[in-house]
């Protein structure tokens, strides 16, 4: 069996090690200078309103910058950085804000790199087996895609590495479609990865994220770079480093089945560090109470009178992020008295089984799914796709829940405080050096 090379290199604050990671897996073997190169980092969200620890959440600027320098040295002149950061005006989240915030315009000025916001399209409709998805044309037109995901866990797909990072190349409507009531999310992720087939994947493991993929996860300094010309091999290695088995990851298992590949890493040749020396088992899931009435924090605080079932795969990123905020607001609003027999539903398919004084329906999808539900006593729609923060707080208050946005602000400050005074967490890794 022919072995696939995967580099596993310590970063150790040495930029030269990014070069080593690329060289050890012959990353530029198929790259000729005239090729159109597209870099796809993971800049899933941006936030200029609240404390935003980026460790393990987004690709570091140091990896992006060094990759650009290597490409220039290789003679490449047509280089694009492309991403579609979640858009939210309340916190100035968007691709260009993220690019500016990390100093990417310097790459434009100094190296002639094009900065592309995939949220703006255009898109091309691509047919798959049984569904179609709109994929950003600049990605489809690239000759050499370099995929730059982060080494992180994910609350529904367990890991979000090379394959999952490419979901960011879809039009928003298609991203939403992937959280489908009947087709598993992992199938979409596998098909997108198979279609785009990046020429090089470099997993940025300078930081790794426990209970990712967002800011409420806990980052660790893993200090690793994982690179391969084969995205599947890179993801298998990344999954093992996160202490998980590749056969437990739906999209990897699907890819292995379709391409007759082993899932135990036996076709992978690791170049550099020994994998077993760096395994860092991280958690991907959030604990929920046994009766599914809320997160385990509800149990710890003795909260009752509320039924908040666990999110399912149909909830997409916009609602998922705000779902965490909603839970923090409810924890802050708890006075020691039971809530008034209320229920909260999220995602696209959950139906109330009745028995509650009020059913809060979070987002347009779940409002639609319960429109004609006769079991609901009083429906409280929280409209939006996703809902706006101010509407969430206002509606809770109108229904006697004393939610205070400051509780969420303090929570975010506490997330950022986790990393303060710890020299292994370096904010400058997220800024391009001018
Ligand atoms: S309402 Fe929420 S779950 Fe529905 S499409 Fe919008 S963001 Fe996704």
């Amino acid at each position: 069996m022919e072995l696939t090379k995967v580099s596993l290199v310590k970063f150790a604050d040495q930029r030269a090690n990014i070069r080593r990671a690329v060289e050890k897996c012959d990353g530029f073997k198929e790259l000729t200078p005239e090729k159109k190169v597209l870099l796809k980092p993971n800049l899933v969200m941006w936030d200029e309103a609240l404390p935003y620890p980026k460790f393990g959440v987004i690709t570091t600027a140091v990896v992006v910058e060094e990759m650009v320098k290597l490409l220039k040295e290789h003679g490449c002149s047509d280089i694009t950085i492309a991403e579609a950061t979640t858009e939210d005006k309340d916190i100035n989240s968007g691709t260009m804000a993220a690019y500016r915030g990390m100093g990417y315009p310097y790459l434009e000025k100094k190296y002639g790199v094009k900065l592309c916001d995939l949220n703006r399209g255009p898109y091309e409709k691509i047919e798959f087996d049984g569904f179609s998805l709109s994929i950003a044309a600049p990605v489809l037109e690239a000759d050499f895609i370099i995929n730059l995901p982060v080494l992180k866990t994910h609350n529904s797909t367990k890991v979000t590495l090379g394959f999952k990072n490419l979901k960011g190349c879809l039009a928003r409507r298609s991203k939403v479609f992937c959280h489908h009531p009947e087709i598993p999310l992992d199938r979409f992720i596998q098909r997108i990865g198979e279609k785009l087939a990046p020429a090089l994947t470099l997993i940025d493991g300078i930081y790794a994220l426990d209970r990712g993929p967002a800011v409420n996860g806990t980052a660790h300094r893993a200090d690793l770079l994982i690179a391969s010309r084969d995205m599947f091999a890179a993801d298998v290695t990344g999954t093992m480093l996160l202490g998980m088995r590749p056969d437990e990851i739906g999209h990897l298992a699907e890819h292995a089945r379709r391409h007759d590949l082993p899932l135990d890493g036996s076709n992978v040749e690791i170049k550099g560090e020994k994998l077993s020396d760096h395994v860092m088992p991280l958690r991907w899931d959030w604990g929920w109470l046994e009766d599914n009435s809320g997160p385990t924090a509800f149990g710890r605080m003795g909260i009752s009178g509320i039924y908040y079932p666990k999110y399912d795969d149909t909830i997409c990123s916009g609602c998922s992020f705000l779902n965490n905020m909603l839970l923090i607001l409810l924890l802050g609003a708890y006075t020691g008295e039971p809530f008034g027999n209320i229920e909260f539903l999220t995602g696209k398919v959950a139906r109330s089984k009745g028995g509650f004084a009020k059913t809060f329906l979070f987002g347009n999808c779940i409002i639609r799914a319960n429109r004609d539900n006769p079991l609901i006593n009083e429906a409280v729609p929280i409209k939006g796709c996703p809902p706006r923060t101010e509407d969430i707080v206002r509606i809770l208050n109108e229904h006697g829940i004393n939610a205070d946005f400051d509780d969420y602000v303090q929570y975010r400050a506490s997330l950022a405080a986790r990393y303060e005074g710890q020299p292994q967490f370096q904010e400058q890794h997220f800024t391009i050096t001018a």
Side-chain angles (χ1 to χ4, degrees), residues 382-419:
I382 307 180
K383 290 184 192 160
C385 177
R388 303 228 14 215
T389 301
E390 62 193 47
D391 292 335
I392 298 169
V393 175
R394 177 181 53 76
I395 291 169
L396 292 176
N397 289 168
E398 282 170 4
H399 289 269
I401 299 168
N402 195 18
D404 183 346
F405 188 66
D406 278 349
D407 288 336
Y408 184 65
V409 175
Q410 276 175 32
Y411 167 73
R412 288 288 296 271
S414 74
L415 295 182
R418 287 173 175 173
Y419 308 110

Side-chain angles (χ1 to χ4, degrees), residues 172 176 316 318-319 322 363-365 368 382-388:
R172 183 169 187 270
V176 167
C316 38
C319 270
L322 291 164
N364 292 349
C365 292
R368 237 186 341 263
I382 307 180
K383 290 184 192 160
C385 177
R388 303 228 14 215

Side-chain angles (χ1 to χ4, degrees), residues 172 176-177 179 314-320 346-348 362-366 368 384-387:
R172 183 169 187 270
V176 167
F177 182 79
H179 296 270
T314 66
I315 193 167
C316 38
S317 314
C319 270
S320 177
T346 62
K348 295 194 181 77
F362 188 66
N364 292 349
C365 292
I366 207 72
R368 237 186 341 263
C385 177

Side-chain angles (χ1 to χ4, degrees), residues 99-326:
Y99 287 164
R100 278 193 301 275
M102 299 177 84
Y104 281 25
Y106 177 77
L107 300 176
E108 195 176 27
K109 203 167 122 208
K110 174 141 192 205
Y111 302 108
V113 169
K114 287 171 268 185
L115 301 180
C116 175
D117 180 357
L118 299 178
N119 285 321
R120 304 281 82 82
Y123 305 103
E124 210 178 294
K125 195 169 169 188
I126 304 293
E127 295 297 330
F128 292 90
D129 45 335
F131 57 87
S132 59
L133 296 171
S134 295
I135 301 182
V139 184
L140 293 167
E141 286 158 10
D143 303 316
F144 197 93
I145 298 173
I146 301 182
N147 193 8
L148 300 172
V150 183
L151 184 64
K152 62 178 173 173
T153 58
H154 191 279
N155 58 10
S156 70
T157 56
K158 300 181 183 169
V159 297
T160 166
L161 302 169
F163 274 87
K164 177 71 172 56
N165 188 37
L166 297 176
K167 183 164 165 277
C169 302
L170 301 184
R172 183 169 187 270
R173 281 176 72 92
S174 290
K175 283 181 191 158
V176 167
F177 182 79
C178 290
H179 296 270
H180 196 277
E182 279 132 33
I183 307 172
L185 174 59
D186 280 302
R187 186 178 308 163
F188 290 107
I189 291 169
Q190 188 277 332
R191 296 297 192 278
I192 299 161
E194 188 177 80
K195 168 75 189 167
L196 295 179
L200 173 63
T201 296
L202 189 152
I203 302 174
D204 180 349
I206 298 178
Y207 302 99
L209 194 66
D210 180 73
R211 285 180 170 166
V215 71
N216 55 332
T218 305
H220 298 267
R221 179 78 190 249
D223 216 25
L224 292 171
L225 303 161
I226 303 122
S228 181
R229 289 163 54 219
D230 180 327
M231 178 169 67
F232 174 78
D235 278 15
V236 162
T237 307
T239 299
M240 289 173 161
L241 286 165
L242 291 169
M244 286 183 243
R245 286 193 355 235
D247 64 330
E248 293 171 337
I249 310 303
H251 52 274
L252 295 183
E254 174 89 350
H255 193 77
R257 186 184 61 74
R258 281 167 72 85
H259 296 272
D260 197 20
L261 292 165
L263 276 160
D264 57 0
S266 56
N267 67 332
V268 171
E269 182 188 9
I270 304 278
K271 308 288 269 183
E273 299 287 315
K274 199 170 157 200
L275 190 144
S276 57
D277 288 346
H278 297 282
V279 174
M280 176 185 273
L282 298 184
R283 298 160 300 174
W284 64 272
D285 202 8
W286 292 86
W288 231 254
L289 294 170
E290 251 178 54
D291 63 359
N292 204 23
S293 63
T296 46
F298 279 15
R300 281 199 303 276
M301 288 178 67
I303 294 177
S304 61
I306 184 169
Y307 180 68
Y308 199 124
K310 193 171 184 182
Y311 52 85
D312 60 37
D313 280 359
T314 66
I315 193 167
C316 38
S317 314
C319 270
S320 177
F321 176 67
L322 291 164
N323 185 43
N324 171 254
M325 187 188 82
L326 177 52

